[in-house]
């Protein structure tokens, strides 16, 4: 691969490059993976009939000891090794509209090489826009609509108003670096990060994935069949409500709802700080310990 000048910036007066190919959607399972929202969204975007146009060499990018792939042991031998794969696949929605999907584990190593390979694909296939899907844990209750933070390499690409506004320095990810580099190279890149209740960040949380898919559909017009995920959402929310009632977490949830409502009304500047002594999300998380343990056991089983 040719060496790139990673720090070359385009002028603010230089128009973004206009492509005529399909858009590229990236949803990596890694740092921006709270509630498995990105992975669940990618599962709905993956039809099983797509054409693989590029496969990354994960053997040099993947930390096997930190995220050990599963392998089955049957009586006296190993079988069915779950190879980690990271691919860009040409998919089509239910109306036949094409899009590229980049999904799989977030690379642990060689981020710049990964970003460069994606850039080559974007150039080769004339991709006009790259959209990232991610999720982060926040002090929000599951009983309120999912909050989404939109972002982009240009202000014109941010298509919705963000209720959460702050200037913070956060740990980077392969996805955030990808968007940043694409902006430097004159490509349009944007994305959505959904806020997941932090007491549910370690389990599959379908409402967050559905919020990402809804934002994607609103922007692109893609028609995605998410019926299976909606069915899972109903079951998950019933289970959560049952656990809250059984574990006596109703009052704690009420405190978190009060924080959230005050924030959305503009009475508070941050979900992380409030003048009143309201119960924290951490207290609520303690009440859900049994629920989370059972969910993890079910996932592993």
């Amino acid at each position: 691969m040719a060496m790139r000048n990673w720090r070359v910036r385009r002028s603010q007066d230089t128009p973004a490059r206009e492509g005529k190919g399909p858009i590229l959607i990236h949803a990596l399972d890694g740092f921006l993976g709270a509630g498995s929202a990105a992975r669940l969204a990618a599962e709905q975007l993956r039809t099983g009939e797509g054409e693989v146009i590029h496969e990354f060499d994960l053997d040099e990018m993947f930390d096997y000891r930190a995220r050990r792939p599963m392998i089955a042991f049957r009586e006296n031998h190993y079988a069915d090794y779950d190879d980690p794969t990271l691919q860009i696949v040409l998919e089509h929605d239910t109306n036949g509209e094409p899009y590229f999907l980049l999904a799989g584990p977030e690379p642990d190593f060689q981020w710049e090489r990964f970003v460069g390979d994606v850039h080559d694909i974007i150039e080769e296939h004339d991709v006009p826009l790259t959209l990232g899907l991610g999720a982060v844990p926040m002090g929000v209750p599951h009983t309120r609509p999912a909050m989404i933070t939109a972002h982009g390499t240009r202000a014109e690409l941010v298509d919705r108003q963000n209720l959460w506004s702050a200037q913070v320095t956060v740990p980077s990810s392969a996805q955030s670096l990808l968007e940043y580099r694409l902006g430097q190279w004159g490509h349009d890149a944007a994305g959505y990060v959904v806020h997941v209740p932090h007491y549910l960040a370690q389990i599959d949380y379908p409402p967050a994935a559905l919020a990402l898919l809804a934002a994607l559909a609103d922007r692109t017009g893609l028609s995605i069949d998410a019926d299976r995920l909606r069915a899972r959402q109903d079951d998950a929310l019933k289970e959560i409500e049952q656990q809250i009632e059984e574990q006596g977490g109703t009052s704690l949830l009420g405190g978190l709802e009060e924080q959230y409502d005050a924030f959305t009304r503009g009475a508070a500047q941050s979900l992380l700080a409030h003048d009143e002594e309201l119960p924290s999300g951490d207290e609520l998380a303690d009440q859900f310990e049994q629920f989370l343990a059972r969910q993890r056991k079910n996932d592993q089983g």
Side-chain angles (χ1 to χ4, degrees), residues 56-223:
F56 295 87
D57 183 6
L58 268 188
D59 204 42
E60 296 182 355
M61 298 180 177
F62 190 83
D63 188 345
Y64 288 88
R65 291 190 297 177
R67 296 188 285 177
R68 296 180 184 271
M70 301 304 292
I71 188 170
F73 185 82
R74 295 180 180 174
E75 296 184 1
N76 57 9
H77 67 283
Y78 291 103
D80 299 330
Y81 175 60
D82 187 13
D83 298 80
T85 58
L86 181 60
Q87 301 171 330
I88 298 179
V89 181
L90 176 60
E91 299 279 9
H92 293 80
D93 74 354
T94 57
N95 293 326
E97 289 296 320
Y99 58 91
F100 293 119
L101 176 64
L102 167 56
E106 177 187 11
D108 296 296
F109 310 112
Q110 300 190 13
W111 282 6
E112 296 287 11
R113 176 183 174 186
F114 164 74
V115 168
D117 288 349
V118 176
H119 178 245
D120 289 343
I121 296 297
I122 290 172
E123 291 277 351
E124 178 182 352
H125 293 275
D126 208 21
V127 172
L129 175 66
T130 302
L131 288 174
L133 305 180
V136 295
M138 291 289 286
V140 295
H142 70 277
T143 52
R144 297 294 186 266
M147 183 184 297
I148 285 181
T149 294
H151 50 84
T153 53
R154 295 187 294 116
E156 296 83 355
L157 297 174
V158 181
D159 64 340
R160 58 179 59 206
Q161 183 177 1
N162 292 329
L163 293 179
W164 171 264
S165 60
Q167 294 187 20
V168 295
T169 300
V170 298
S172 61
S173 65
Q175 286 181 269
S176 59
L177 179 62
L178 173 60
E179 181 175 314
Y180 177 71
R181 292 295 187 216
L182 290 177
Q184 289 182 314
W185 293 326
H187 290 275
D188 279 347
Y192 305 104
V193 173
V194 62
H195 300 182
V196 175
H198 69 290
Y199 51 87
L200 300 174
Q202 300 302 316
I203 66 170
D204 288 358
Y205 187 59
L210 287 169
L212 289 175
L213 292 173
L216 178 66
D218 288 344
R219 182 185 198 118
T220 65
L222 290 174
S223 177

Side-chain angles (χ1 to χ4, degrees), residues 197-201 247 249 252-253 256 280-292 296:
H198 69 290
Y199 51 87
L200 300 174
Q247 299 300 321
L252 297 175
L253 177 61
L256 197 58
S280 71
D282 289 334
E283 293 176 289
L284 184 59
D286 291 338
Q287 299 291 337
F288 292 159
E289 184 175 354
Q290 257 188 338
F291 167 63
L292 298 178
R296 294 191 190 100

